[in-house]
Amino acid sequence: DAMVIQNPRYQVTQFGKPVTLSCSQTLNHNVMYWYQQKSSQAPKLLFHYYDKDFNNEADTPDNFQSRRPNTSFCFLDIRSPGLGDAAMYLCATSKSGTQQETQYFGPGTRLLVL
Amino acid sequence: AQSVTQPDIHITVSEGASLELRCNYSYGATPYLFWYVQSPGQGLQLLLKYFSGDTLVQGIKGFEAEFKRSQSSFNLRKPSVHWSDAAEYFCAVGALNQGGKLIFGQGTELSVKP
């Protein structure tokens, strides 16, 4: 089945220690998104890629970076995680990034910062 | 500014009872509206969406939603709730010219009593 896969499902890191979260998709979609969802809050878009074009949200901290080496994979790098970065990180895809398209979400990676 | 409001943070219904989850949006043009469901520890799954045509939209798992422009609402309904419907429900609007970005409401947590 075509899907969005996130690894790992749970990640524990130490304060200030860089961490990378992974997302892959078999849908062959052009657009990949990263959302941050803190406890009991709505998902909040951090950035997205349209093919290789990177689009950062204005309020995304510099501490968050992303890479998309090919169509299938996208990575979220947190350079120096703080306690406030503990959250669920959701990867999503859509075919063309238009307003009416469905986004397909992965199961998420829950990040714990010690 | 585009925004989505879900007035009810938490709702409890008895199994077999009907359900209505409220969603109000603020948007300058014809909105593209979505309802997603998130089970504990999981990603988001699309229930249904609206962007034109019939204002009553049918979705998966027996859910439906009605778009009412005059009330800026897109409420989600189900005639008979099952215990497996217990989850977090998010209403979202597709942001205009922002690469498919979704703006989510705060979510409504649904509990189902036996």
Side-chain angles (χ1 to χ4, degrees):
Chain A
D1 285 343
M3 57 186 359
V4 182
I5 302 162
Q6 290 188 247
N7 285 307
R9 295 291 309 276
Y10 299 91
Q11 176 74 56
V12 181
T13 191
Q14 292 178 335
F15 183 94
K17 184 175 181 181
V19 65
T20 294
L21 309 183
S22 169
C23 177
S24 63
Q25 54 127 341
T26 61
L27 297 160
N28 202 32
H29 282 173
N30 291 316
V31 191
M32 295 186 77
Y33 306 84
W34 279 104
Y35 289 86
Q36 180 192 60
Q37 185 182 22
K38 294 188 177 180
S39 182
S40 301
Q41 295 185 22
K44 181 176 178 296
L45 184 66
L46 294 173
F47 26 58
H48 74 274
Y49 272 96
Y50 186 99
D51 285 337
K52 293 186 184 299
D53 292 334
F54 178 69
N55 298 272
N56 199 32
E57 292 296 299
D59 57 355
T60 298
D62 292 341
N63 198 25
F64 291 86
Q65 305 283 319
S66 186
R67 296 170 284 135
R68 188 178 186 186
N70 53 53
T71 301
S72 301
F73 284 87
C74 194
F75 299 99
L76 170 62
D77 301 308
I78 309 177
R79 293 192 297 187
S80 181
L83 298 179
D85 297 327
M88 174 78 92
Y89 290 88
L90 296 166
C91 175
T93 73
S94 72
K95 185 169 177 54
S96 303
T98 58
Q99 197 177 359
Q100 67 267 36
E101 281 187 336
T102 299
Q103 289 187 21
Y104 296 85
F105 285 81
T109 294
R110 185 167 296 282
L111 177 68
L112 181 62
V113 181
L114 300 178
Chain B
Q2 303 155 41
S3 66
V4 177
T5 302
Q6 293 179 245
D8 304 305
I9 295 173
H10 189 200
I11 283 182
T12 299
V13 299
S14 297
E15 191 166 17
S18 64
L19 171 70
E20 183 169 29
L21 302 182
R22 296 185 291 164
C23 172
N24 293 99
Y25 65 89
S26 173
Y27 197 78
T30 300
Y32 295 88
L33 295 161
F34 304 80
W35 275 101
Y36 282 86
V37 61
Q38 185 178 34
S39 297
Q42 301 296 316
L44 281 71
Q45 181 184 23
L46 180 72
L47 286 175
L48 47 78
K49 63 181 180 181
Y50 170 82
F51 49 89
S52 67
D54 193 346
T55 56
L56 186 62
V57 181
Q58 301 297 321
I60 63 171
K61 304 185 181 187
F63 285 93
E64 65 178 27
E66 186 170 13
F67 171 64
K68 293 185 177 179
R69 185 186 299 275
S70 61
Q71 298 177 18
S72 297
S73 70
F74 188 56
N75 294 348
L76 182 71
R77 301 194 295 246
K78 186 170 185 178
S80 177
V81 169
H82 188 262
W83 64 266
S84 61
D85 293 323
E88 187 93 21
Y89 291 80
F90 290 97
C91 183
V93 65
L96 180 64
N97 295 329
Q98 294 188 50
K101 173 182 176 178
L102 290 172
I103 298 170
F104 287 92
Q106 287 296 100
T108 298
E109 183 180 359
L110 173 66
S111 297
V112 180
K113 291 189 302 186

